[in-house]
Amino acid sequence: MAAAAEEAAGSGGGGSPSSARRRLRIISGHLRGSPRAPEREALSSNPCKAQGGSAGPASGSIPKKRQELLKWNGWGYNDSKFIFNKKGQAEFTGKRYRLGGMILPTFKEWIEKTFGASLEHKTTSRASLNINDVPPSIVNEAFLQDLRDTKISYSQDAEDRVFRAHGHCLHEIFILREGMFKRIPDIVIWPVCHEDVVKIVELACKHNLCIIPFGGGTSVSSALECPEEEKRTIVSLDTSQMNRILWIDEKNLTACVEAGIVGQDLEKQLAESGFCTGHEPDSMEFSSLGGWVATRASGMKKNIYGNIEDLVIHIKMVTPRGIVEKNCQVPRMSTGPDIHHFIMGSEGTLGVVTEVTIKIRPVPEYQKYGSVVFPNFERGVACLREVAKQRCAPASIRLVDNAQFQFGHALKPQVASIFTSFLDGLKKFYITKFKGFDPNILCVATLLFEGDREKVLQHEKQVYDIATKFGGLAAGEDNGQRGYMLTFVIAYLRDLGLDYYVIGESFETSVPWDRVLDLCRNVKERIVRECKEKGVQFAPLCTCRVTQTYDAGACVYFYFAFNYRGISDPIHVYEQIERAAREEILANGGSLSHHHGVGKLRKRWMKESISDVGLGMLRSVKEYVDPNNIFGNKNLL
């Protein structure tokens, strides 16, 4: 440690005492968990204190009482939603997003034409949560007394419990609008640090309880649903108050962060020190670092920054057997199978991730959006393949098919001036008349470049030169920026659709390059066929985009929706169709999931996906780490 102190003080004696102490704290953080670091307790700069202590949770964007800010039966913020106003025009409410307060003049026509929907046909959903519908909390008094002794915050309030009983699958939101879950958590507990989690897991083992970890609540795999047959007390262990950055190591470009922090807060706090992770999943406003680890998440800028498995340096997880972590924080180890890969993707079945050390980078000095129009989807996919082959992909490159292009166009706000409208008209004339692009076939790629300004401009030219070889035309920065802005508001559309008999969902896969086009075509055709066979009276919307590219393949993301008027059990019909679509994906060489995870929704295909022996290996780990099934959410296995 003496050598570490000298290094911390800086060469030549130029370091200040405060910088030396800060460096020493960072180094002690690297050594935490090592039996050969007796100084670590004294050096730890982040002791776990009770509520109200100086080392308590940071002030995050999402409050502890989620109902104060978020919808109880839909996506996102209470003040943000799509509506049809008194004039019958679509608009997006609130001021949190750039689209807020804007009129969408063509959206009503699009939804009527696409789905056969009508403003005259409106559904009714419950305006508020009826406490009398909520299953009672069943918690034994001995456990409650032990819990009180720990001084860890908890709640048996009905609203708190319902908010943590679900993710955001279609059937979960439909249940909230129409009825209530048969089984929900009996108690919500809010640890504020790793040591609190250790205490909670020890109590759960002592009293034989079931724990379901809760991060941001954005799951789309039924991972948070409580098993109806579970008779034990179910604890929702909400990590949201574990939301601090414990240290930033500017020399190694790493940061140790508590697992409950949500994406927007992580980036905001890192930016104050001039850093970022670059990990930006579509759900980053609400999803948590621990959730990213538990589901093997991917972000839209993974081409530069990597997926979560590329960012993670060290993980600390509490299990019924004890704490799992490596003894050092290094870029790579050759010590048998990587234990991180037992943890990443474990979906709350083995324990609770409490702290994660991740790679960070300086905030890029320059950012530039772009877009390219292609004559058809085939040319667009060929271009993305070439970009991947030349390993020159920008931070993000996403290709939408024509149906999704039309969808995005319908969400275009009312223009600010006649001049803007005139320019749009000129662009449309040039692309459709002069260049001969068919507006019903063309597709669009949106681009995002980041980094040093000079390198970004060189990179941009390289990508546009490749696009030109495949018939692509540059379509401007504005269209690219709009595409990424829509990423964060598009999830709000499902709630509007449900108000007018339209149900919809997204699902994704990864697939080799030579199967991308076949898979996209076959899945769309299968969905149309299944809808017809299941009695859906209106043609469905089925659209896809290529969202992430790799050397050997790509991620394909589907949106699927239909008008369910005349169908007595729309959720059952929807699930049958989605199941058929998933079968089609697997038959066409696609994966079970690229980044959404498995949960309970897709676990029927796990044996097919990883083999009988592979599934047995996962079960063996589960049986050793959690022999009494304390983490009994029934995901994956």
Side-chain angles (χ1 to χ4, degrees):
M1 291 304 293
E6 287 174 20
E7 189 271 341
S11 60
S16 68
S18 62
S19 66
R21 284 194 295 273
R22 185 171 65 250
R23 184 70 191 150
L24 204 54
R25 284 198 298 269
I26 291 167
I27 293 169
S28 77
H30 286 308
L31 295 172
R32 269 190 273 183
S34 168
R36 291 188 296 275
E39 301 99 327
R40 76 177 189 271
E41 291 301 324
L43 290 169
S44 175
S45 62
N46 293 284
C48 182
K49 296 186 179 178
Q51 304 293 117
S54 61
S59 177
S61 298
I62 310 300
K64 186 174 176 181
K65 295 285 186 178
R66 300 172 70 83
Q67 53 270 35
E68 295 171 3
L69 187 68
L70 306 180
K71 295 186 186 76
W72 72 278
N73 64 350
W75 177 263
Y77 299 107
N78 284 321
D79 58 7
S80 303
K81 59 184 174 181
F82 286 95
I83 63 166
F84 288 110
N85 61 27
K86 292 178 181 178
K87 295 180 181 179
Q89 299 170 310
E91 65 175 280
F92 190 73
T93 66
K95 297 179 181 178
R96 298 177 186 275
Y97 303 92
R98 287 182 59 195
L99 202 62
M102 294 186 180
I103 302 296
L104 312 172
T106 63
F107 186 73
K108 176 175 175 285
E109 179 186 352
W110 178 83
I111 199 171
E112 289 174 341
K113 180 182 175 183
T114 304
F115 297 107
S118 167
L119 300 194
E120 304 299 317
H121 298 111
K122 197 170 189 299
T123 64
T124 55
S125 67
R126 296 185 306 164
S128 60
L129 177 64
N130 185 345
I131 303 301
N132 295 325
D133 292 339
V134 178
S137 168
I138 303 170
V139 182
N140 75 63
E141 189 55 40
F143 164 68
L144 275 181
Q145 185 55 55
D146 282 350
L147 181 60
R148 291 187 194 107
D149 292 342
T150 68
K151 309 298 185 189
I152 299 171
S153 178
Y154 71 90
S155 170
Q156 292 173 269
D157 176 77
E159 271 193 298
D160 289 332
R161 293 161 53 226
V162 168
F163 256 82
R164 292 155 184 84
H166 65 90
H168 282 272
C169 288
L170 172 64
H171 72 270
E172 292 172 312
I173 300 305
F174 204 87
I175 286 171
L176 287 171
R177 290 169 62 96
E178 306 283 330
M180 180 48 61
F181 299 102
K182 294 179 181 176
R183 190 75 170 92
I184 71 169
D186 296 295
I187 186 169
V188 179
I189 306 179
W190 288 279
V192 299
C193 62
H194 168 80
E195 287 78 7
D196 279 357
V197 175
V198 172
K199 293 173 187 175
I200 294 165
V201 173
E202 286 174 349
L203 287 182
C205 292
K206 175 182 176 181
H207 295 279
N208 190 27
L209 313 180
C210 173
I211 294 177
I212 298 182
F214 183 93
T218 59
S219 164
V220 285
S221 64
S222 302
L224 291 170
E225 281 190 83
C226 298
E228 289 182 15
E229 65 277 14
E230 181 58 74
K231 303 300 182 190
R232 298 174 296 177
T233 294
I234 297 179
V235 173
S236 175
L237 193 155
D238 185 329
T239 61
S240 63
Q241 303 307 292
M242 297 166 54
N243 58 5
R244 299 170 298 166
I245 295 177
L246 300 179
W247 47 257
I248 294 173
D249 185 341
E250 297 182 6
K251 295 198 174 185
N252 291 310
L253 287 179
T254 57
C256 184
V257 188
E258 290 179 317
I261 196 168
V262 296
Q264 61 172 317
D265 290 340
L266 176 58
E267 293 304 308
K268 201 180 302 177
Q269 290 183 42
L270 283 173
E272 291 172 2
S273 300
F275 297 102
C276 68
T277 67
H279 186 74
E280 295 184 10
D282 292 358
S283 61
M284 72 170 290
E285 295 171 280
F286 310 109
S287 58
S288 69
L289 172 59
W292 301 343
V293 169
T295 56
R296 292 182 63 87
S298 179
M300 66 177 88
K301 298 194 296 189
K302 75 95 199 157
N303 294 332
I304 287 181
Y305 301 98
N307 292 317
I308 195 65
E309 65 270 22
D310 305 307
L311 287 166
V312 165
I313 295 293
H314 186 266
I315 302 172
K316 184 181 284 189
M317 183 171 79
V318 180
T319 78
R321 283 274 185 186
I323 298 164
V324 181
E325 63 176 330
K326 297 179 181 179
N327 75 321
C328 56
Q329 306 203 18
V330 294
R332 190 175 188 274
M333 296 171 70
S334 178
T335 49
D338 191 339
I339 60 165
H340 284 170
H341 290 282
F342 289 114
I343 298 170
M344 288 189 285
S346 59
E347 300 190 8
T349 59
L350 302 177
V352 183
V353 174
T354 58
E355 296 175 11
V356 184
T357 302
I358 48 174
K359 299 175 188 175
I360 57 174
R361 294 200 189 186
V363 172
E365 73 167 69
Y366 190 64
Q367 189 178 70
K368 190 172 184 182
Y369 293 93
S371 60
V372 181
V373 180
F374 293 97
N376 55 48
F377 191 63
E378 290 77 11
R379 294 274 194 95
V381 170
C383 175
L384 264 62
R385 173 66 186 112
E386 184 61 27
V387 168
K389 192 184 292 184
Q390 293 193 28
R391 292 193 170 179
C392 63
S396 179
I397 179 168
R398 301 191 295 186
L399 179 75
V400 302
D401 68 5
N402 184 261
Q404 201 162 136
F405 163 73
Q406 303 284 358
F407 177 28
H409 191 72
L411 290 170
K412 197 165 187 178
Q414 199 163 301
V415 292
S417 69
I418 296 173
F419 182 64
T420 307
S421 181
F422 176 68
L423 283 179
D424 284 348
L426 281 180
K427 288 177 189 172
K428 187 175 180 181
F429 176 83
Y430 176 73
I431 290 170
T432 60
K433 305 297 182 187
F434 184 73
K435 296 297 292 185
F437 283 24
D438 185 337
N440 296 309
I441 297 176
L442 64 79
C443 70
V444 178
T446 54
L447 313 170
L448 173 58
F449 300 89
E450 284 188 358
D452 171 85
R453 187 177 189 279
E454 188 176 335
K455 289 180 181 177
V456 162
L457 296 178
Q458 291 173 354
H459 195 181
E460 181 186 41
K461 182 181 184 303
Q462 184 180 10
V463 172
Y464 279 115
D465 285 348
I466 293 172
T468 301
K469 294 175 183 177
F470 293 90
L473 292 173
E477 289 185 58
D478 288 349
N479 286 320
Q481 193 165 13
R482 272 191 70 253
Y484 287 98
M485 179 268 290
L486 288 176
T487 294
F488 297 108
V489 301
I490 208 163
Y492 286 91
L493 274 169
R494 184 172 66 184
D495 297 334
L496 178 69
L498 286 168
D499 287 340
Y500 295 94
Y501 289 93
V502 175
I503 55 176
E505 186 66 284
S506 62
F507 52 92
E508 41 68 61
T509 185
S510 50
V511 61
W513 280 113
D514 64 345
R515 301 298 303 155
V516 169
L517 292 174
D518 286 344
L519 183 141
C520 292
R521 181 186 62 251
N522 292 342
V523 170
K524 290 178 186 179
E525 290 177 356
R526 179 72 179 270
I527 286 173
V528 170
R529 193 163 66 245
E530 292 287 335
C531 282
K532 198 172 291 184
E533 291 175 4
K534 301 293 186 295
V536 176
Q537 298 174 25
F538 304 88
L541 170 71
C542 187
T543 173
C544 69
R545 67 175 186 251
V546 178
T547 60
Q548 278 109 326
T549 61
Y550 299 86
D551 290 349
C555 169
V556 179
Y557 201 96
F558 289 90
Y559 286 114
F560 158 50
F562 62 85
N563 185 331
Y564 69 87
R565 272 202 346 260
I567 298 175
S568 60
D569 190 351
I571 295 302
H572 177 65
V573 170
Y574 171 81
E575 288 175 344
Q576 286 182 308
I577 297 168
E578 187 192 33
R579 197 173 302 155
R582 182 61 56 186
E583 297 279 6
E584 192 67 32
I585 284 172
L586 295 173
N588 280 269
S591 67
L592 184 56
S593 175
H594 171 264
H595 60 270
H596 280 172
V598 176
K600 290 177 273 292
L601 190 64
R602 289 176 273 273
K603 72 176 185 177
R604 74 179 70 220
W605 293 288
M606 276 294 281
K607 184 191 288 188
E608 181 181 346
S609 294
I610 64 172
S611 82
D612 195 22
V613 174
L615 193 60
M617 291 168 71
L618 294 185
R619 285 185 176 132
S620 294
V621 172
K622 167 71 173 174
E623 287 166 11
Y624 174 77
V625 172
D626 186 15
N628 296 316
N629 196 30
I630 299 300
F631 290 89
N633 58 21
K634 296 205 167 179
N635 294 337
L636 287 175
L637 306 174

